[in-house]
């Protein structure tokens, strides 16, 4: 037997029980029948021709034991008695030639013994050897023995301390590893964090967002992307939610606009999830700055979310990047640059990625129970609820998709269990996480929906009709037509756009490069064939629904959803379902690009010489580059109208004239200075009372209009000189008002009337 720790030992001709003991290094045991033993720690010794029971003592190094006879059980001596020829003693001391000593006393320090000599009886009884033996007990050919141990160790002999010389080979030992300081450990952790895949992916998505949306951040306090109408409304929404949640959360849905209407904050999608950003800053300029920052961050989050989903499903890094970029910068989304609630879609793929990660599921590897983690499930439901809080325009289809996905997952889970007749592992913790997370998501949805149901109850005419849906339903040609903001295709598709009734919502090109990559992904991909077919089916189904009533009048597609699914009637633009088509096309493309990169990696690993390797790897970036180029834009960035000085000092409730859908959105933005109550407002529909105000105020300042405004509670009217050209106020703006019981004051470029 060769015991644990022996290194480079050789045992030959050792039948039945011969043993080379623990820690023996470089020893040779030959011709040792039946129970011969080279003891623990022996280094460099040789045991030859040792029949039946001869023992080379523990710890002996460099000794030679030859021709020893078997020792009988009664010959052993203990506690310091001299060992005779052939006897076995229990000691750490070195025995005479052919002898081995053992002593039960615990050894503390090694002892120096010259070759062929033994210590006195008293020394044997009192002097222990550390670790059960001595080191370098004797040198061959009469050489002097050496003292061993640590460099600073001392041995006790007859009550006196003697220094122990350093090991002669210590100088050749490798230097000990220095213990890292807290600063070096912290630096290493920071370094690992900076080069982590998700750190690099986040930074890359952010840098790309800044570049692809440029010049959004060039003058972020004075310009808005696309136009200054809807972006002004959405800048006000973020400012209002942040302000009211700090000042009076109970009045969140009773905004300062559309006075004196109730639930006015629910007249359009709210972007409520951006309320924390709205708590920073005040006034119109800060509102515009906040909007532009969130506009860029929304693009970055969409890229990161789609990247995370593709990676979780099993795509490689480059393939996932293609999915992320194509999802965020698809040409059709350039027409939505003025709709932040549509562009704020990154929570959709991110939540799906987190939920898939928590359940240990991927498209490429299937269900892996060992990768389950309930923390990711909670995070996924939380992100999904946040996405829903940004608005129902794209949040409602997402909510229904999650519901369908849960039902399908449960059915497949039990079907697999019945088919395999085995208990498929899931776990109570995952079940609890799904229940709690799903209930939280549903609770947020119901709380968000309640104000919208109240608006529908108070304003039944605000509900959409099938005729409204038909106006915005795109034809099939829209899927290959790019908006005017596309730098690559915008000019080339000008004629095709002219044939569309409402081209901002009907130019739905996701990208010709994306089409090509997705088509290749049907034939060459890392996804299984059935998964490719499912993705293709999803693409076709979402395209059909995105056509609204243009596909067989929507009889079997959009109309049943419109009539029977709660809340679906509020979605007036079916073309925005193209978001799901783009995501599915991106996943098909990611499968193809991943297969390509894997194949290139295999080819470069096999080539000798490997000089084309770097060029082939660089070529795999070409799909990503092409997708990015197709997303380049020419989005305009107009300057936001300056807030009139009168708006900074006017007391509410007030009315700003002229009043119309476009100008009122500027008024909403201007009202972020103190948030006075204003009659003006712009949204997806116009309340009848606001219609009445606009009609009656055409004659302002007349006694009839003044009396009507007083009954509403209006105390101030601001008439903007720069906007009165071509309106009835162009003549009456300078008319005297002394006989009407009101006052008139010139404030900057506006006239302020106090009722």
């Amino acid at each position: 037997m060769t015991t644990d720790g022996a290194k480079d030992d050789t045992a030959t001709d050792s039948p039945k029980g011969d043993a080379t003991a623990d820690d023996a290094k470089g020893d040779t045991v030959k011709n040792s029948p039946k129970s011969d033993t080279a003891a623990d720690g022996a280094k460099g010794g040789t045991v030859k021709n040792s029949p039946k029971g001869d023992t080379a003592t523990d710890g002996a190094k460099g000794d030679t034991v030859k021709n020893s006879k078997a020792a009988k059980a009664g010959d052993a001596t203990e506690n310091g008695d001299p060992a005779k020829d052939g006897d076995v003693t229990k000691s750490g001391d070195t025995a005479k030639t052919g002898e081995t000593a053992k002593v039960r006393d615990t050894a503390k320090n090694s002892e120096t013994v010259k070759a062929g000599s033994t210590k006195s009886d008293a020394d044997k009884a009192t002097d222990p050897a550390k670790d059960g033996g001595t080191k370098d007990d004797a040198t061959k050919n009469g050489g002097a023995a050496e003292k061993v141990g640590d460099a600073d160790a001392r041995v006790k002999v007859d009550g006196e301390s003697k220094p122990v010389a350093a090991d002669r080979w210590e100088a050749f030992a490798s230097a000990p590893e220095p213990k890292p300081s807290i600063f070096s450990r912290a630096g290493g952790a920071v370094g690992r964090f900076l080069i982590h895949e998700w750190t690099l992916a986040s930074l890359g998505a952010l840098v790309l967002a800044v570049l692809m949306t440029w010049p959004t951040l060039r003058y972020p306090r004075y310009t808005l992307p696309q136009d200054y109408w809807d972006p002004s409304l959405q800048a006000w929404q973020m400012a209002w939610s942040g302000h009211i949640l700090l000042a009076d959360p109970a009045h969140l849905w009773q905004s300062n606009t559309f006075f004196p209407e109730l639930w006015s904050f629910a007249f359009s999608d709210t972007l409520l999830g951006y309320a924390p950003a709205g708590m920073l800053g005040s006034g119109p300029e800060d509102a515009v700055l906040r909007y532009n920052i969130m506009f860029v961050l929304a693009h970055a989050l969409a890229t990161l979310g789609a990247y995370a989903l593709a990676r979780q499903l099993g795509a490689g890094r480059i393939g996932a990047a293609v999915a992320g970029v194509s999802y965020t910068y698809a040409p059709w989304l350039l027409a939505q640059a003025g709709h932040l609630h549509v562009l704020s879609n990154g929570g959709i793929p991110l939540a799906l990625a987190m939920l898939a990660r928590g359940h240990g599921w991927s498209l490429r590897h299937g269900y892996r129970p060992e990768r389950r983690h309930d923390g990711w499930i909670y995070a996924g439901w939380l992100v999904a609820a946040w996405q829903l809080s940004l608005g129902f325009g794209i949040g409602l289809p997402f909510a229904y998709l999650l519901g369908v996905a849960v039902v399908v997952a449960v059915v497949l889970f039990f079907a697999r269990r019945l088919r395999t007749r085995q208990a498929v592992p899931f776990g109570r913790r995952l079940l609890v996480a799904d229940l709690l997370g799903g209930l939280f998501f549903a609770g947020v949805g119901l709380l968000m929906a309640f104000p919208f149901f109240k608006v529908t109850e108070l304003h039944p005419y605000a509900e959409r009709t099938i005729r409204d849906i038909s106006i915005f339903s795109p034809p099939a040609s829209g899927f290959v037509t790019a908006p005017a903001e596309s730098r690559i295709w915008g000019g080339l598709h000008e004629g095709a756009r002219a044939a569309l009734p409402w081209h901002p919502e009907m130019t739905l090109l996701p990208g010709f490069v994306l089409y090509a990559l997705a088509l290749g992904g049907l034939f060459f991909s890392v996804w299984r064939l059935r998964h490719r077919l499912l993705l293709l089916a999803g693409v076709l189904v979402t395209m059909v629904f995105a056509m609204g009533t243009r596909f067989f009048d929507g009889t079997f597609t959009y109309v049943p959803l419109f009539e029977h699914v709660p809340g679906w009637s509020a979605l007036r633009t079916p073309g925005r379902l193209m978001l799901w088509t783009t995501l599915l096309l991106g996943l098909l493309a990611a499968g193809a690009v991943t297969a390509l990169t894997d194949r290139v990696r295999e080819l470069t690993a096999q080539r000798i010489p490997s000089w084309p390797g770097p060029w082939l790897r660089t070529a795999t970036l070409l799909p990503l580059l092409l997708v990015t180029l197709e997303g380049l834009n020419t989005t305009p960035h107009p300057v936001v109208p300056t807030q009139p000085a009168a708006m900074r000092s006017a007391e509410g409730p007030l009315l700003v004239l002229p009043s119309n859908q476009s100008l009122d959105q500027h008024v909403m933005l201007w009202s972020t200075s103190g948030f006075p109550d204003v009659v003006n407002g712009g949204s997806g529909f116009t309340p009848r009372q606001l219609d009445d105000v606009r009609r009656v105020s055409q004659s302002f300042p007349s006694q009839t209009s003044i009396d009507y405004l007083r009954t509403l509670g209006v105390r101030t009217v601001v008439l903007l000189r720069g906007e009165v050209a071509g309106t009835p106020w162009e003549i009456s703006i300078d008319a005297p008002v002394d006989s009407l019981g009101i006052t008139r004051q010139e404030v900057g470029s506006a006239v302020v009337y106090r009722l």
Side-chain angles (χ1 to χ4, degrees):
M1 176 182 66
T2 304
T3 58
D4 296 337
K7 298 181 181 179
D8 299 327
D9 300 354
T10 303
T12 61
D13 302 315
S14 180
K16 293 184 180 179
D18 296 0
T20 303
D22 295 351
D23 300 326
K25 298 180 180 178
D27 301 349
T28 304
V29 182
K30 297 181 179 179
N31 303 319
S32 178
K34 294 185 179 178
S35 303
D36 292 356
T37 304
D40 294 351
K43 297 181 181 179
T46 303
V47 181
K48 297 181 180 179
N49 304 318
S50 177
K52 294 185 180 178
D54 293 70
T55 305
T57 313
D58 295 354
K61 298 180 181 178
D63 300 340
T64 302
V65 182
K66 298 180 180 179
N67 303 319
S68 61
K69 296 180 180 179
K72 297 181 181 180
D75 294 334
T77 62
E78 298 180 1
N79 301 326
D81 294 335
K84 297 180 181 180
D85 292 344
D87 296 344
V88 179
T89 64
K90 294 183 180 180
S91 172
D93 302 328
T94 303
K96 293 181 180 181
T97 302
E99 296 177 358
T100 304
K102 287 186 179 179
V103 175
R104 292 177 183 161
D105 298 340
T106 303
K108 294 181 179 179
N109 292 297
S110 299
E111 205 172 5
T112 303
V113 182
K114 294 182 179 180
S117 65
T118 59
K119 296 191 295 182
S120 65
D121 294 343
D123 291 339
K124 292 178 183 177
T126 58
D127 293 348
K130 188 176 181 180
D131 297 328
T134 61
K135 298 180 181 178
D136 295 321
D137 296 325
T139 59
K140 293 183 179 181
N141 302 322
E146 294 178 349
K147 297 178 181 178
V148 252
D150 295 337
D152 298 330
R154 305 174 69 88
V155 295
K156 296 181 179 180
V157 179
D158 296 333
E160 296 181 359
S161 287
K162 296 181 180 180
V164 178
D167 191 335
R168 64 169 66 179
W169 304 112
E170 186 175 358
F172 297 95
S174 59
E177 289 290 337
K179 184 178 181 181
S181 65
I182 186 173
F183 298 105
S184 61
R185 291 198 300 271
V190 171
R192 289 189 297 273
F193 172 78
L194 291 178
I195 64 174
H196 195 277
E197 175 186 356
W198 294 109
T199 303
L200 297 177
S202 301
L203 292 176
L206 183 59
V207 171
L208 185 64
V210 172
L211 296 176
M212 295 293 285
T213 60
W214 191 261
T216 298
L217 295 184
R218 186 176 184 181
Y219 304 109
R221 299 173 69 90
Y222 308 106
T223 63
L224 285 170
Q226 188 77 346
D227 57 58
Y228 43 57
W229 295 301
D230 282 354
S232 294
L233 163 65
Q234 292 162 346
W236 166 81
Q237 288 174 329
M238 284 188 282
W240 167 256
S241 59
H243 159 76
I244 199 64
L245 288 178
L246 290 176
D248 188 6
H251 287 81
L252 169 65
W253 299 101
Q254 318 301 332
S255 76
N256 70 311
T257 60
F258 294 99
F259 178 84
E261 295 284 357
L262 301 176
W263 307 100
S264 56
F265 193 48
F267 284 1
S268 57
D269 276 341
T270 62
L271 294 175
L272 185 59
Y274 289 150
M279 298 177 182
L280 305 175
S282 62
E285 288 188 0
D286 286 347
V288 172
L289 173 63
R290 182 187 305 114
Y291 179 92
N292 284 321
I293 292 175
M294 299 312 297
F295 179 81
V296 174
L297 292 179
H299 284 80
L301 181 61
T303 304
L304 182 64
Y307 176 89
L309 178 59
R311 285 290 283 155
Q312 171 59 31
L313 294 182
R317 291 182 177 87
I318 299 177
V322 169
V325 173
S326 63
Y327 176 75
T328 308
Y329 303 104
W332 76 273
L333 281 168
L334 299 178
Q336 305 292 330
H339 301 140
L340 184 58
H341 61 292
V342 177
L343 299 177
S344 299
N345 51 52
I348 293 176
L350 184 60
L352 294 176
M354 289 178 170
L355 290 172
R357 172 67 179 87
H359 290 88
W361 184 84
S362 72
L363 200 62
R364 192 173 183 180
H365 306 290
Y367 178 54
R368 292 179 290 180
E370 69 278 4
R371 295 180 64 85
R372 294 170 297 169
H373 196 292
D374 59 328
W376 285 110
I377 295 178
Y378 287 115
W381 285 112
L382 183 63
V383 172
W386 173 80
Q387 176 66 60
L388 189 62
S389 72
L390 294 175
F392 285 111
I394 60 172
L396 188 65
F398 176 50
Y400 282 116
L401 174 74
L402 281 179
V404 172
V406 168
V407 173
V408 171
V410 171
V411 171
L412 292 178
F413 181 86
F414 285 103
R416 180 181 177 185
R417 186 169 184 173
L418 291 175
R419 185 179 70 253
T420 60
R421 299 186 180 278
Q422 294 179 355
V424 182
F426 188 78
R428 182 177 300 176
R429 294 180 63 179
L430 259 64
L431 179 62
V432 171
D434 279 322
L435 288 176
L436 294 180
L439 288 175
F440 177 76
F441 177 80
V444 170
L446 291 176
L447 289 176
M448 289 285 297
F450 178 77
F452 290 91
F453 285 126
K454 293 295 294 184
V455 170
T456 303
E457 179 183 337
L458 295 173
H459 308 278
Y461 52 87
E463 285 194 82
R464 313 292 182 189
T465 64
I466 286 294
R467 185 175 179 277
D468 296 328
I469 304 302
S470 300
I471 295 174
F472 297 101
S473 295
S477 61
F479 297 122
V480 291
T481 305
E485 293 81 3
S486 173
R487 184 176 294 275
I488 304 297
W489 306 114
L492 297 174
H493 292 182
E494 185 176 356
R497 285 195 303 274
L500 299 175
W502 186 255
H503 66 82
E505 297 290 349
M506 296 182 179
T507 49
L508 302 179
L509 175 68
F512 290 113
V513 175
L514 183 60
Y515 276 144
L517 292 174
L519 181 62
L522 292 176
F523 304 97
F524 179 69
S525 177
V526 295
W527 311 134
R528 294 181 177 91
L529 178 60
R530 66 174 182 274
H531 294 151
R532 291 178 239 167
L533 295 177
L534 286 174
L535 289 173
L536 176 61
V539 168
L540 298 177
V541 169
T542 52
M543 278 185 166
V544 166
F545 278 97
M547 293 176 67
T549 59
R550 290 296 186 107
F551 187 82
F552 295 102
D553 295 327
T555 304
F556 306 104
T557 56
Y558 204 88
V559 172
L561 295 178
F562 182 88
E563 293 179 346
H564 302 293
V565 176
W568 203 272
S569 59
L571 308 180
R572 65 171 181 171
T573 51
R576 293 175 184 176
L577 292 175
M578 194 64 185
L579 188 73
W580 296 97
T581 306
T582 308
L583 181 59
L584 296 174
L585 287 171
L587 293 178
L588 274 172
V593 174
T594 301
L596 174 64
T597 55
D598 289 349
R599 182 58 179 157
V600 166
R601 190 178 300 110
E602 293 173 1
L603 290 175
T604 55
Q606 296 171 1
R607 285 193 63 88
I608 300 175
S610 61
W611 65 267
W615 294 103
L616 290 175
R617 292 190 182 95
T618 303
T620 60
L621 296 174
L622 184 60
L624 176 60
L625 178 62
L626 293 177
V627 168
T628 304
L629 290 176
E630 202 169 15
L632 294 177
N633 67 85
T634 58
T635 302
H637 286 72
V639 177
V640 181
T642 305
Q643 180 192 34
M647 287 289 296
R648 291 193 289 268
S649 58
E651 296 180 0
L654 63 90
L655 168 67
V656 179
L657 297 175
S659 175
N660 54 59
Q661 175 73 10
S662 299
L663 185 58
D664 280 6
Q665 291 174 331
H666 298 155
V667 175
M668 298 171 80
L669 176 62
W670 295 338
S671 73
T672 55
S673 291
F675 294 96
D677 290 331
V678 295
V679 178
N680 307 72
S683 71
F685 81 101
T686 302
R688 287 178 178 172
Q689 182 172 271
L690 181 56
D691 265 340
D692 293 340
V693 170
R694 289 172 178 172
R695 177 176 50 81
V696 172
S697 62
Q698 292 285 324
S699 62
F700 185 87
S702 65
Q703 191 63 55
T704 302
S705 62
I706 293 172
D707 291 342
Y708 177 75
L709 292 177
R710 281 174 174 168
T711 59
L712 293 179
V714 176
R715 294 293 175 261
T716 306
V717 176
V718 177
L719 186 57
L720 303 177
R721 283 189 176 274
E723 303 292 339
V724 298
T727 68
W729 300 288
E730 188 175 10
I731 300 173
S732 62
I733 189 171
D734 293 317
V737 295
D738 297 339
S739 61
L740 300 174
I742 62 176
T743 63
R744 176 179 177 279
Q745 180 185 5
E746 297 278 348
V747 180
S749 60
V751 179
V752 179
Y753 299 88
R754 292 181 174 83
L755 309 184

